[in-house]
Amino acid sequence: MSERLQPGDTAPAFTLPDADGKPVSLADHLGRKVIVYFYPAALTPGCTKQACDFTDNLELLAGAGYDVIGISPDKPEKLGAFREKEGLRVTLLSDPEKETLAAYGAFGEKSLYGKTVVGVIRSTVIVDEQGKVERALHNVKATGHVAKLIKDLSL
């Protein structure tokens, strides 16, 4: 497992395919703040709740200067089905090799129902306009996370 990112660190660069297979890079968002959130699997209850919460608050977040990107190990086809089924408007990216997940400290050992397993650690990293980490939150809850984030960001 990689080291956890700290405020002030340069956010690891990435270029990953979106739900339509088109490449999206963190560099595409320079000049805007970016909320990059990592989730285990599309079309599961917790991940659906979290993605819907981000979609429901997208106008508020965008109005405050934030873009939202969700990253999971799912293939673009599954992300497309997720987006269509749930009416999602956040950018969903595919990281099946888990390289970006690992670079952001969002993949590794975690506790699941009392057992230690290796997998996606639900995390959110806020990247500032210059590509630096503003906040890095790990082991976040799917439910209520977006509301807490909005409150913590004073939006």
Side-chain angles (χ1 to χ4, degrees):
M1 183 171 117
S2 61
E3 292 292 312
R4 297 257 167 104
L5 295 172
Q6 300 297 320
D9 289 350
T10 298
F14 61 78
T15 301
L16 297 168
D18 69 8
D20 299 313
K22 295 186 182 99
V24 174
S25 298
L26 180 61
D28 299 341
H29 298 269
L30 276 177
R32 287 189 55 85
K33 292 185 178 204
V34 186
I35 296 170
V36 185
Y37 78 96
F38 300 90
Y39 62 99
L43 299 167
T44 58
C47 297
T48 297
K49 173 74 175 126
Q50 188 177 23
C52 288
D53 284 352
F54 272 119
T55 292
D56 292 346
N57 289 286
L58 200 55
E59 285 181 30
L60 171 69
L61 294 166
Y66 292 90
D67 293 337
V68 180
I69 297 173
I71 300 177
S72 76
D74 298 307
K75 299 263 192 263
E77 301 78 29
K78 186 174 180 187
L79 297 178
F82 187 34
R83 179 185 63 198
E84 299 312 311
K85 181 175 189 279
E86 301 298 337
L88 302 174
R89 292 179 294 134
V90 295
T91 300
L92 300 174
L93 302 183
S94 170
D95 183 20
E97 305 301 317
K98 303 174 188 78
E99 290 172 4
T100 300
L101 285 152
Y104 278 77
F107 187 82
E109 285 189 359
K110 63 181 185 175
S111 179
L112 188 67
Y113 306 113
K115 292 183 180 161
T116 300
V117 297
V118 174
V120 176
I121 300 163
R122 192 180 302 275
S123 305
T124 299
V125 176
I126 300 174
V127 180
D128 72 13
E129 298 90 340
Q130 289 78 43
K132 300 278 188 200
V133 173
E134 197 173 279
R135 297 174 191 229
L137 310 163
H138 298 281
N139 297 311
V140 301
K141 302 282 181 229
T143 303
H145 173 62
V146 175
K148 182 178 183 333
L149 196 59
I150 289 168
K151 183 175 182 256
D152 291 350
L153 295 172
S154 303
L155 301 181

